[in-house]
DNA sequence: GTCAGTGCAAACCCTTTGCAGAAAG
DNA sequence: CTTTCTGCAAAGGGTTTGCACTGAC
């Protein structure tokens, strides 16, 4: 498939730009991430990757996602202790989470933003701002 | 100690008001939580509780903290997948987290608030708004 | 006696670690 | 050859589950 090989090239470039050696396993994982282009859990990545012809271990998926997050290729979102997902959208935005359905949506900063950041101590700088709006269904009945 | 037994009474009342049967284990855990009156992890609760004369199992600590959070006695904060803490301050406020030192501070809403909430779908209502400002040290040296 | 409520040992499973093997120099 | 990097099996440990026990009726 043409687009598949294009994606492969794009991902290779992304990895090189981030100083990551584009090995077979990392490429497979990267393609799965950016192909889906949505919030995705480590488990889902593992399943997607192994649906293809190549075997990648669980440990490698976790370590690679951690590496990608550290280098800024993806953003790690901690929704609950048991729900950690990776977001390929690394631009400045926030999230809306439905605790009943598990649905997770992006909120762009024009829909939601802080009026001001707090005064910080000298010696520290912003590393990130995470905002999660949790909603629930009105009539659980 | 006088204040200790007063705290015990207060916690008992809190539990009853929330429809929770104030058993020995729940009281011990509740006293540890509200005595410390700060962000505290399940592990720390376990240690504090068992410093006293009564033995409470790990499972009971986890289940009880989950119950308290569900009933609104404490607020569960997910900082990272490996750092979950319970906050006895259940009023509307947010958090400042230093990723280098692990330090966690409260931010009152007058220091930090959203200019507006997003338009929600019909059928859903706000369950909670979590804002975490992550900071890091400027000179990791 | 029954039955809802409670506490915890053990199981579960997500994540990390340590190391064998590969790749680079 | 030595050194660095990589992938993964196995270990670790926080959390949940299933069940024995208690207490209420």
């Amino acid at each position: 498939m043409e687009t598949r090989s294009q994606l492969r090239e794009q991902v290779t470039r992304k990895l090189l730009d981030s100083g990551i050696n584009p090995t077979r396993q990392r490429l497979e994982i990267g393609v799965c991430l950016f192909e889906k282009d949505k919030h995705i859990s480590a488990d889902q990545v593992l399943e997607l990757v192994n649906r293809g012809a190549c075997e990648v271990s669980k440990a490698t998926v976790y370590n690679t996602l951690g590496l990608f997050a550290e280098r800024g290729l993806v953003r790690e979102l901690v929704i609950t202790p048991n729900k950690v997902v990776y977001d390929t959208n690394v631009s400045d935005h926030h999230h809306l989470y439905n605790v009943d359905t598990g649905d997770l949506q992006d909120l762009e900063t024009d829909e939601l933003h802080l009026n001001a950041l707090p005064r910080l101590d000298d010696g520290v700088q912003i590393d990130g701002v995470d905002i999660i709006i949790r909603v629930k269904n009105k009539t659980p009945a």
Side-chain angles (χ1 to χ4, degrees), chain A:
Chain A
M1 198 189 288
E2 180 56 23
T3 53
R4 195 70 197 275
S5 74
Q6 282 177 0
L7 182 56
R8 207 164 254 280
E9 270 179 49
Q10 283 172 30
V11 172
T12 305
R13 216 171 309 127
K14 266 181 194 283
L15 295 184
L16 291 172
D17 288 349
S18 301
I20 297 173
N21 193 1
T23 63
R24 182 177 65 78
Q25 285 87 344
R26 286 171 183 166
L27 256 175
E28 292 292 335
I29 292 168
V31 167
C32 288
L33 279 173
F34 293 101
E35 184 179 52
K36 190 142 182 297
D37 191 31
K38 251 184 68 185
H39 310 110
I40 187 172
S41 68
D43 253 9
Q44 290 175 302
V45 172
L46 183 66
E47 200 193 319
L48 275 177
V49 168
N50 288 337
R51 192 168 291 170
C54 86
E55 281 291 306
V56 177
S57 77
K58 223 176 183 183
T60 299
V61 170
Y62 277 96
N63 291 338
T64 302
L65 288 172
L67 179 65
F68 286 5
E70 188 190 304
R71 301 295 175 91
L73 286 177
V74 297
R75 179 166 159 196
E76 186 183 62
L77 302 177
V78 186
I79 309 300
T80 72
N82 294 331
K83 185 167 171 99
V84 179
V85 299
Y86 293 85
D87 193 342
T88 51
N89 177 0
V90 292
S91 70
D92 191 20
H93 70 286
H94 305 299
H95 296 92
L96 182 70
Y97 177 64
N98 186 315
V99 298
D100 290 319
T101 65
D103 183 53
L104 182 65
Q105 291 175 34
D106 283 355
L107 290 172
E108 298 308 322
T109 51
D110 58 357
E111 293 175 273
L112 179 76
H113 70 91
L114 292 170
N115 63 338
L117 287 174
R119 188 183 310 281
L120 299 178
D121 289 346
D122 288 345
V124 303
Q125 58 188 314
I126 294 286
D127 185 50
V129 176
D130 290 343
I131 304 181
I132 300 178
I133 310 286
R134 289 169 211 277
V135 298
K136 59 186 172 188
N137 291 337
K138 272 179 185 164
T139 51

